[in-house]
């Protein structure tokens, strides 16, 4: 740094003043929320809120029964079960996300203590990166990271890797105004924080530090909470409202009907059913934007007025009847209504979602996807658009020799002949790059990546470039410059032979050669160059000349004679990752749109698009746009064109963010991939941000998932996991809501028939525990199915319950209900102690069902739904529900449920208001209820045969 001493730099006093005025060179980290607040946020889930309300109501009823009706302690089993379900759902989600965040913190460690050189008080000193201030004079060398935004004062063959900010791997930098590139993303005389010096050195003055640097602005933008709701959250919100509204309506109908039955007004009860239903429909659905508490308060007022009206009528019609009896009856009725609300709410749904997400989260980590936010697992399955960076995401971000065409060689590989030695020596000595041999599995380049690609080519040919360099004497050099477009080195071998090597732009190097040019026509070279350039490759030409002792010893004098011998051309590219074309095709076949957003040129981006299968011969200029053109579009123009765009070149960081936001306005579910700081705002804005494992700290902090191995294939795997996960949730809902429909209808019909509830409160809760918690675990752990990648992405507006599911829920639920009502009617008109007695037992007068009959009814209910779990296992797969390969968790849960049912009925009957059953009844119920499964299996076999 010859002119470094000409700069005085800042004094100690000026450093302090600058730090006070402009701040420190530290990116302000996102303030982390305390753990307790993160946990409390889990209670924002609408279904958790419903459970909390149901739990509080259940506690109130249980306390009343315990203290005033002298019920046993078992009455508290119901509220305890509800709150256990709440704690498990919220706790599991919190624990898994906390563990993932710890793993991410280790992966994303940032070091602000990295030493840098500055000039202060007229001396060159080393200071930590964080202590750099505005006005400091920085000295930057090859291999160093630029610590702050600065303006160049001097630059010697300076090349900077700006891929972390713009996606452009190599940018020429200069302090000479004549060299300025007007199309460059950032000014040619500016170097930006976070970029890396690949070649040359320079002196620069800092003009921005910390959050005010371009890197810092991106970092701040990446921290903005856009509060984008995920598709799953939207669907669960809808489902929560629907279930709440329906359960409140049915509960209200039960209370009214039971009170009317109390006065033997059954006819009036049936007559008032329709207007009462309309009332609750208006209250709940018409004013569906009301908060749940408002709805409950409104209904409570109605009940109070209604009971007052009933009491008034009671005093007029039956004044001698005990009012306390009516109140006790009313409270019992309210308890049944609350029980129905508890049953109607799928307590296991939060558990199912949490378990499904947690299961996918851990399994995805094994496939190199570090999921930080659980919702991202499912949201990937709903993705309709993937906006991806080019450098480091689609490509390897490592320049490699695509083709070496040396005209005197018979093949691309170097041998032991003289020309091979000349070529190897020319590449080794005429280079400013080096290879880092620290990790032989992943060789890295220090210096210019293009020159590093040549050294890697030598290494792959079994040639040690270091030993070649060490065995020659350097006489003279000409560094590469944008004006000359070539570099030259004159060396002397151990043998005393002197050789001049020249490397640079092929057309320039060719013009410096002798007239014969090794018998290679210029047209042939031009044709070859055009072929490579059309593929967005960089090309270098090579030439040499043997120098006699009596000739000049200066490179410039020797080159001016135009007597070089042309050796050949090397095409160098940043190759597409091997797995990318197949992964892109899989995503496109799955109905997902891919958009490339890069800071590179249009030609390069288009060629990469062609190589990965995105850009086709049918595409036109409407499908590609540059960053400046994109920024110039109005919102209306962008909305009209955005779905046609495939490539945005020369893009700045905020262009991708605007792209994502516009797509979201069109109800697209957007995933963004990237590895650079320039990607951070879009990563944060997207529904799912996917950063690469070797990406910048800013990018990873803004993302939801980090692809540890940088494999684009992991993205398509994440889509498969997400779609399979969503399908598992749908399977659980199909199963659970079918159970709920049957349970609610049986309680409702019991109320209208004027009999006690066919299922007790504890039995209801056991049904919920089986069908919610255990069912959630069983169906959440089903493995992913690659067949889901044949489907198109679901629309964001699609309800989580599709038509087929609703038909199944209502149809099967009503079918199960009909079976239970039939048995309820039979048990109310017979007196049996064993099911086999039904064969000869005549239908008699109506009476209350016995505890044994109630146990039979309870067992029929449980076992029919247990077998139905196999049906939901095979739902939407088109296969058999008995195909349990890889479903160990499903099998274990079935065993647990079976064992639990036996324990309840045979070992703990009093606790669950049951009576031990005869072994014949066990056999009859288990076998006959399995028809639910066998009928579905027979139907699937028939459908397959018809298709064949």
């Amino acid at each position: 740094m010859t002119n470094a001493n000409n700069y005085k730099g800042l004094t100690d006093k000026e450093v302090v003043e600058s730090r006070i005025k402009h701040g420190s060179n530290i990116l302000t980290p996102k303030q982390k929320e305390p753990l307790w607040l993160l946990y409390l946020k889990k209670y924002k889930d609408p279904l958790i809120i419903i459970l909390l309300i149901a739990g509080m109501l259940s506690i109130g009823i249980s306390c009343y029964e315990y203290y005033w009706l002298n019920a046993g302690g078992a009455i508290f089993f119901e509220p305890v079960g509800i709150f256990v379900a709440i704690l498990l759902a919220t706790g599991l989600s919190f624990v898994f996300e906390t563990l993932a965040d710890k793993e991410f913190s280790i992966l994303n460690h940032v070091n602000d203590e990295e030493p840098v050189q500055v000039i202060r008080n007229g001396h060159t000193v080393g200071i930590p990166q964080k202590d750099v201030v505005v006005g400091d004079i920085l000295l930057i060398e090859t291999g160093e990271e630029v610590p702050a935004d600065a303006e160049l004062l001097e630059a010697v063959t300076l090349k900077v890797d700006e891929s972390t900010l713009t996606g452009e791997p190599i940018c020429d930098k200069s302090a000479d105004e004549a060299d300025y590139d007007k199309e460059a993303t950032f000014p040619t005389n500016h170097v930006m924080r976070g970029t890396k010096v690949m070649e040359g050195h320079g002196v620069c003055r800092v003009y921005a530090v910390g959050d005010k640097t371009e890197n810092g602005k991106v970092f701040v933008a990446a921290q903005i909470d856009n509060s984008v709701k995920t598709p799953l959250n939207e669907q669960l919100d809808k489902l929560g409202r629907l279930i709440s509204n329906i359960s409140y309506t049915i509960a209200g109908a039960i209370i009214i009907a039971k009170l009317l039955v109390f006065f033997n007004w059954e006819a009036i009860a049936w007559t008032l059913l329709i207007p009462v239903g309309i009332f609750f429909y208006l209250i709940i659905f018409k004013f569906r934007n009301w908060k749940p508490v408002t709805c409950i308060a409104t209904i409570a007022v109605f009940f109070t007025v209604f009971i007052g009206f009933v009491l008034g009528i009671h005093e007029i019609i039956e004044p001698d009847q005990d009012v306390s009896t009516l109140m006790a009856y009313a409270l019992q009725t309210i308890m049944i209504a609350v029980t129905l609300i508890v049953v109607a709410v799928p307590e296991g749904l939060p558990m199912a979602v949490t378990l499904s997400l947690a299961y996918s989260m851990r399994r995805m980590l094994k496939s190199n996807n570090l999921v930080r936010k659980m919702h991202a697992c499912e949201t990937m399955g709903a993705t309709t658009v993937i906006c991806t960076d080019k450098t480091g995401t689609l490509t390897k971000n490592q320049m490699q020799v695509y083709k070496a065409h040396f005209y005197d060689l018979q093949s691309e590989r170097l041998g032991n002949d003289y020309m091979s030695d000349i070529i190897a020596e020319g590449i080794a000595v005429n280079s400013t790059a080096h290879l880092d041999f620290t990790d032989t599995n992943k060789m890295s380049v220090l210096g210019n990546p293009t020159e590093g690609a040549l050294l890697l080519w030598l290494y792959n040919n079994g040639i040690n470039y270091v030993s070649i360099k060490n065995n020659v004497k350097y006489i003279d050099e000409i560094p590469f410059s944008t004006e000359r477009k070539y570099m030259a080195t004159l060396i002397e071998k151990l043998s005393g032979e002197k050789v001049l090597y020249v490397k640079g732009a092929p057309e320039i190097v060719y013009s410096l050669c002798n007239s014969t040019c090794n018998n290679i026509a210029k047209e042939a070279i031009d044709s070859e160059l055009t072929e490579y350039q059309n593929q967005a490759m960089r090309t270098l030409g090579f030439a040499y000349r043997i120098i006699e002792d009596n000739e000049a010893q200066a490179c410039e004098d020797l080159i001016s004679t135009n007597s070089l011998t042309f050796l050949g051309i090397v095409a160098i590219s940043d190759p597409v990752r091997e797995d990318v074309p197949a992964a892109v095709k899989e995503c496109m076949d799955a109905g997902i749109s891919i958009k490339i957003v890069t800071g590179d040129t249009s030609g390069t981006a288009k060629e990469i698009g062609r190589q990965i299968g995105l850009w086709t011969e049918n595409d036109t200029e409407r499908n590609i746009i540059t960053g400046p053109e994109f920024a110039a579009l109005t919102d209306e123009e962008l909305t009209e064109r955005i779905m046609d765009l495939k490539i945005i070149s020369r893009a700045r960081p905020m262009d991708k963010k605007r792209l994502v936001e516009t797509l979201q306005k069109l109800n697209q579910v957007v995933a963004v991939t990237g590895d650079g700081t320039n990607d951070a705002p879009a990563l944060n804005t997207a529904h799912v941000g996917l950063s690469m494992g070797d990406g910048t700290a800013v990018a990873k902090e803004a993302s939801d998932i980090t692809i540890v191995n940088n494999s684009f294939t992991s993205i398509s795997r994440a889509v498969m996991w997400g779609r399979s996960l969503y399908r598992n949730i749908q399977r659980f809902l199909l199963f659970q809501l079918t159970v709920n429909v049957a349970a609610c209808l049986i309680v409702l019909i019991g109320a209208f028939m004027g009999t006690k509830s066919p299922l007790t409160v504890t039995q209801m809760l056991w049904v919920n525990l089986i069908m919610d918690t255990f069912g959630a675990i069983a169906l959440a752990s089903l493995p992913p199915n690659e067949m889901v990648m044949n489907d198109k992405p679901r629309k964001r507006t699609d309800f989580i319950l599709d038509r087929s599911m609703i038909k199944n829920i209502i149809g099967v639920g009503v079918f199960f209900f009909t079976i239970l009502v039939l048995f309820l009617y039979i048990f109310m008109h017979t007196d049996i102690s064993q099911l086999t007695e039904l064969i000869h037992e005549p239908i008699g007068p109506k009476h209350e069902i016995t505890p044994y009959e109630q146990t039979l009814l309870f067992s029929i209910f449980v076992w029919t739904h247990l077998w139905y779990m196999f049906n939901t296992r095979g739902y939407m797969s088109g296969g058999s529900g008995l195909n349990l390969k890889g479903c160990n968790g499903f099998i274990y849960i079935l065993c647990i449920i079976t064992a639990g049912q036996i324990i309840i009925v045979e070992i703990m009957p009093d606790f669950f208001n049951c009576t031990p059953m005869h072994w014949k009844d066990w056999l009859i119920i288990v076998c006959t209820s399995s028809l639910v499964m066998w009928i579905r299996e027979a139907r699937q076999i028939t459908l397959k045969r018809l298709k064949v």
Side-chain angles (χ1 to χ4, degrees):
M1 194 64 63
T2 56
N3 295 324
N5 292 329
N6 295 336
Y7 302 99
K8 300 297 183 183
L10 299 178
T11 64
D12 292 339
K13 181 181 178 182
E14 289 171 332
V15 168
V16 174
E17 291 174 349
S18 178
R19 186 171 289 119
I20 292 173
K21 183 176 180 180
H22 302 286
S24 300
N25 190 34
I26 296 176
L27 299 181
T28 305
K30 184 177 181 180
Q31 186 175 2
K32 289 193 174 184
E33 295 177 323
L35 292 177
W36 64 268
L37 184 58
L38 290 174
Y39 176 70
L40 287 181
K41 282 189 173 182
K42 301 301 175 187
Y43 286 84
K44 287 185 176 181
D45 187 296
L47 291 172
I48 295 294
I49 294 173
I50 294 172
L51 282 181
L52 286 171
I53 294 172
M56 296 305 296
L57 290 173
S58 182
I59 287 175
I61 296 298
S62 298
C63 288
Y64 172 79
E65 290 194 336
Y66 182 78
Y67 290 107
W68 280 277
L69 301 182
N70 298 318
I75 199 68
F76 290 100
F77 185 64
E78 177 184 348
V80 168
I82 294 173
F83 283 101
V84 166
I86 293 172
L87 291 172
L88 283 174
T90 55
L92 281 174
S93 175
F94 172 74
V95 168
F96 277 108
E97 287 194 1
T98 303
L99 289 174
D101 200 53
K102 286 183 178 178
E103 292 172 359
F104 174 79
S105 297
I106 296 171
L107 180 70
N108 206 30
H109 179 67
V110 182
N111 186 9
D112 285 321
E113 300 292 334
E114 194 71 25
V116 297
Q117 293 186 63
V118 299
I119 299 175
R120 289 182 179 175
N121 301 307
H123 302 287
T124 301
V125 296
I127 62 172
Q129 175 180 301
K130 65 179 182 179
D131 290 342
V132 173
V133 298
V134 171
D136 263 331
I137 304 296
L138 284 174
L139 308 181
I140 52 177
E141 302 278 353
T142 300
E144 294 181 351
E145 185 176 291
V146 179
D149 289 0
E151 181 180 2
L152 287 170
L153 304 175
E154 294 181 23
V156 179
T157 62
L158 187 62
K159 296 181 184 296
V160 176
D161 179 0
E162 286 189 349
S163 60
T164 59
L165 272 177
T166 67
E168 181 66 28
I170 291 296
C171 296
D172 292 315
K173 295 295 181 179
S174 175
D176 187 350
E177 190 172 346
D179 298 332
Y180 289 0
D181 180 1
K182 294 181 180 179
E183 294 185 1
T185 309
F186 294 108
T188 305
N189 65 328
H190 285 188
V191 288
M192 322 306 292
R193 176 190 170 113
T195 60
K196 189 175 182 180
V197 179
M198 304 306 293
E199 183 182 341
H201 49 256
V203 181
C204 52
R205 178 179 285 110
V206 175
Y207 66 83
V209 295
D211 293 340
K212 294 181 181 178
T213 62
E214 288 297 319
N215 187 297
K217 291 174 185 175
V218 173
F219 183 73
V220 171
Q223 295 184 31
I224 297 172
D225 183 9
N226 292 277
S227 299
V228 177
K229 270 203 168 185
T230 66
L232 182 61
N233 285 340
E234 292 176 342
Q235 295 303 319
L236 294 180
D237 284 352
K238 277 184 182 179
L239 182 64
R241 288 195 296 268
L242 177 66
I243 292 173
S244 300
N245 295 338
I246 292 175
S247 61
Y248 294 153
T249 300
I250 295 176
I254 286 176
I255 292 175
I256 293 171
K258 291 283 284 182
L259 288 174
L260 291 173
V261 167
F262 179 79
F263 294 113
N264 296 316
W265 296 348
E266 286 92 339
I268 299 176
W270 287 102
T271 303
L272 291 179
L273 182 61
I274 293 176
V276 167
I278 293 174
F279 169 79
F280 282 102
Y281 172 84
L282 291 174
I283 288 292
I284 298 171
F285 287 93
K286 188 69 176 176
F287 306 106
R288 57 184 176 274
N289 292 327
W290 286 8
K291 294 181 179 179
V293 175
T294 308
C295 290
I296 292 172
T298 304
I299 295 169
V301 170
F302 170 79
F303 285 155
T304 303
V305 173
F306 180 78
I307 290 174
F309 171 76
V310 170
L311 289 174
I313 296 296
H314 167 266
E315 289 300 319
I316 297 172
I317 298 176
E318 300 182 69
D320 297 330
Q321 192 170 348
D322 187 7
V323 174
S324 63
T325 304
L326 171 62
M327 294 307 298
Y329 183 85
L331 285 174
Q332 183 186 22
T333 300
I334 291 173
M335 186 183 74
I336 294 172
V338 170
T339 302
L340 184 135
I341 292 175
V342 173
V343 170
V345 175
E347 285 94 332
L349 183 55
M351 174 73 73
V353 174
T354 301
L355 287 174
S356 296
L357 291 173
Y359 174 74
S360 298
M361 189 176 180
R362 306 311 294 178
R363 288 290 298 272
M364 287 174 72
L365 181 59
K366 293 181 180 179
S367 61
N368 296 301
N369 290 282
L370 174 57
V371 181
R372 296 183 59 215
K373 300 173 184 176
M374 292 180 73
H375 74 80
C377 297
E378 183 281 329
T379 308
M380 278 304 301
T383 298
T384 58
V385 180
I386 296 177
C387 300
T388 177
D389 186 25
K390 177 187 72 67
T391 307
T393 306
L394 300 177
T395 66
K396 294 181 178 180
N397 197 17
Q398 184 178 41
M399 304 299 284
Q400 294 182 6
V401 172
Y402 172 77
K403 187 174 183 180
H405 188 188
F406 292 103
Y407 298 102
D408 285 334
L409 292 181
Q410 297 302 315
S411 68
E412 286 193 44
R413 294 197 63 82
L414 298 176
N416 296 317
D417 57 287
Y418 177 76
M419 286 310 301
S420 292
D421 292 341
I422 286 290
I423 292 167
E425 187 175 69
I427 293 174
V429 302
N430 192 24
S431 175
T432 59
H434 297 278
L435 296 182
D436 184 356
F437 292 95
T438 305
D439 184 0
T440 55
N441 294 322
K442 186 181 179 182
M443 198 76 67
S444 58
V445 173
L446 303 176
N448 188 299
T450 304
E451 294 193 23
L454 295 171
L455 298 182
L456 283 170
W457 183 71
L458 288 183
Y459 178 81
N460 293 332
N461 275 271
I463 296 172
N464 187 344
Y465 82 96
V466 177
S467 63
I468 295 176
K469 291 172 74 80
N470 292 338
N471 288 322
V472 301
K473 177 183 177 183
Y474 287 83
I475 299 174
D476 191 26
E477 297 179 49
I478 296 179
F480 181 88
S481 71
T482 53
E483 297 84 10
R484 281 189 298 268
K485 296 188 184 298
Y486 69 83
M487 63 186 297
T489 302
L490 177 62
I491 58 101
E492 181 179 348
K493 301 182 181 182
L494 293 176
S495 62
E497 184 181 37
K498 298 176 182 177
V499 186
L500 172 66
Y501 292 105
V502 178
K503 173 183 68 183
E507 64 277 12
I508 300 299
V509 173
Y510 183 87
S511 67
L512 299 175
C513 294
N514 55 44
S515 57
T516 61
C517 277
N518 212 4
N519 296 318
I520 302 166
K522 186 176 186 303
E523 292 75 15
I525 291 179
D526 289 342
S527 175
E528 191 172 358
L529 290 177
T530 301
E531 179 186 349
Y532 295 143
Q533 289 165 358
N534 285 341
Q535 297 178 60
M537 295 182 187
R538 299 183 182 187
T539 54
L540 289 174
F542 296 81
Y544 80 107
R545 181 188 167 198
I546 305 298
I547 308 300
E548 302 296 333
D549 290 337
N550 58 357
E551 292 187 83
Q553 302 296 298
C555 291
E556 195 165 345
D557 295 336
L558 294 170
I559 291 173
S560 64
T561 62
N562 290 355
S563 56
L564 301 176
T565 298
F566 194 72
L567 288 172
I569 298 172
V570 172
I572 298 172
S573 67
D574 179 8
V576 169
R577 293 179 184 271
E578 290 82 358
D579 61 321
V580 168
V584 168
K585 183 179 185 303
E586 185 175 26
C587 288
M588 293 172 67
D589 289 345
I592 299 172
S593 174
I594 308 290
K595 299 183 187 297
I596 298 176
V597 187
T598 177
D600 217 331
T601 64
S602 296
T604 300
K606 194 184 294 185
E607 174 56 25
I608 295 299
R610 185 193 65 78
Q611 291 183 30
I612 66 174
L614 177 63
W615 189 267
T616 67
E617 58 184 13
N618 297 323
D619 291 316
T620 65
E621 292 303 311
R622 180 174 175 79
N623 304 110
I624 186 170
I625 194 172
T626 65
E629 292 170 344
F630 180 85
L633 292 176
T634 64
D635 291 342
E636 292 75 17
E637 291 171 336
L638 179 57
T639 300
E640 187 271 332
R641 186 178 175 184
I642 194 167
M643 296 309 297
D644 294 327
L645 289 177
K646 289 187 175 182
I647 297 172
I648 302 178
S649 60
R650 291 299 187 193
R652 288 201 174 200
M654 302 313 288
D655 291 337
K656 188 184 282 190
K657 184 172 185 288
R658 185 189 179 200
L659 173 70
V660 172
E661 290 173 338
T662 305
L663 287 167
Q664 288 174 337
K665 290 177 183 176
L666 296 177
N667 277 328
Q668 300 296 312
V669 180
V670 187
V672 169
T673 72
D675 62 346
T677 301
N678 59 315
D679 301 312
L683 287 168
N684 185 62
T685 303
H687 293 101
V688 182
L690 299 147
S691 63
M692 297 298 154
D694 60 2
T696 65
V698 177
K700 285 184 282 190
E701 183 65 44
S703 66
D704 303 301
I705 300 175
T706 297
I707 311 297
V708 179
N709 66 345
N710 304 318
S711 172
F712 197 88
T713 300
S714 298
I715 297 173
S716 62
R717 296 299 87 191
V719 173
M720 182 192 73
W721 273 99
R723 292 187 177 187
S724 297
L725 188 153
Y726 186 77
R727 185 162 289 184
N728 284 348
I729 294 173
Q730 284 186 308
R731 288 186 179 116
F732 171 76
L733 283 172
L734 175 65
F735 174 69
Q736 174 60 56
L737 294 180
T738 301
V739 174
N740 287 6
V741 166
C744 290
L745 290 177
I746 197 69
V747 173
L748 183 62
I749 200 66
F752 277 86
M753 290 172 68
T755 184
K756 69 178 183 179
S757 177
L759 300 179
T760 67
V761 173
T762 50
Q763 288 172 354
M764 282 281 197
L765 186 63
W766 172 243
V767 167
N768 271 13
L769 284 175
I770 292 175
M771 310 311 174
D772 284 14
T773 307
F774 290 124
I777 296 172
L779 296 171
S781 60
L782 295 178
N785 188 343
E786 292 188 3
M787 296 294 291
V788 297
M789 295 302 287
N790 297 328
D791 301 332
K792 298 299 179 185
R794 68 180 188 272
K795 294 180 181 178
R796 189 171 181 181
T797 53
D798 288 348
F799 190 34
I800 195 169
L801 303 179
D802 58 34
R803 285 189 177 183
S804 174
M805 290 177 67
I806 293 173
K807 286 181 181 178
N808 271 278
I809 290 168
I810 296 175
V812 177
V814 170
F815 173 70
F816 287 161
F817 161 70
T818 304
I819 293 174
L820 290 171
V821 167
L822 178 61
F823 277 103
L824 176 62
Y825 179 84
I826 293 172
F827 293 157
M828 288 175 63
H829 293 81
T830 58
D831 187 9
I832 62 169
S833 58
Q834 197 173 309
L835 281 174
T836 52
E837 296 176 7
L838 289 176
I839 299 174
H840 54 76
E841 183 74 17
I843 299 296
K846 177 182 175 183
H847 64 81
E848 292 289 341
I849 60 175
T850 64
Y852 189 83
E853 291 169 336
Q854 192 171 43
T855 303
L856 291 174
L857 199 67
F858 171 55
S859 297
I860 292 169
F861 185 92
V862 170
W863 282 101
T864 52
H865 288 88
L866 179 64
W867 290 114
Y868 184 63
M869 192 182 293
F870 285 90
N871 293 8
T872 55
R873 157 70 186 86
Y875 181 71
M876 288 189 288
S877 67
S880 171
L882 295 173
N883 181 12
L884 301 178
K885 183 179 179 181
C887 302
N888 294 335
F890 186 85
I891 297 171
Y892 294 151
I893 294 301
L894 288 175
C895 294
I896 291 172
I897 293 175
T898 301
Q901 184 65 15
I902 293 172
I903 291 170
I904 283 175
V905 175
E906 300 297 332
I907 300 176
M908 302 173 62
D910 295 337
F911 194 73
F912 287 89
N913 303 108
C914 292
T915 301
M917 295 196 310
H918 194 278
W919 69 268
K920 289 183 180 179
D921 288 343
W922 274 104
L923 185 62
I924 292 171
I925 292 174
V926 171
C927 292
T928 55
S929 61
S930 69
L931 290 173
V932 171
M933 178 189 69
W934 296 119
I935 291 171
R936 192 258 179 191
E937 291 298 310
R939 180 174 177 271
Q940 288 298 114
I941 293 172
T942 304
L943 289 174
K944 281 187 177 180
R945 288 180 176 176
L946 290 174
K947 287 181 180 179
V948 173

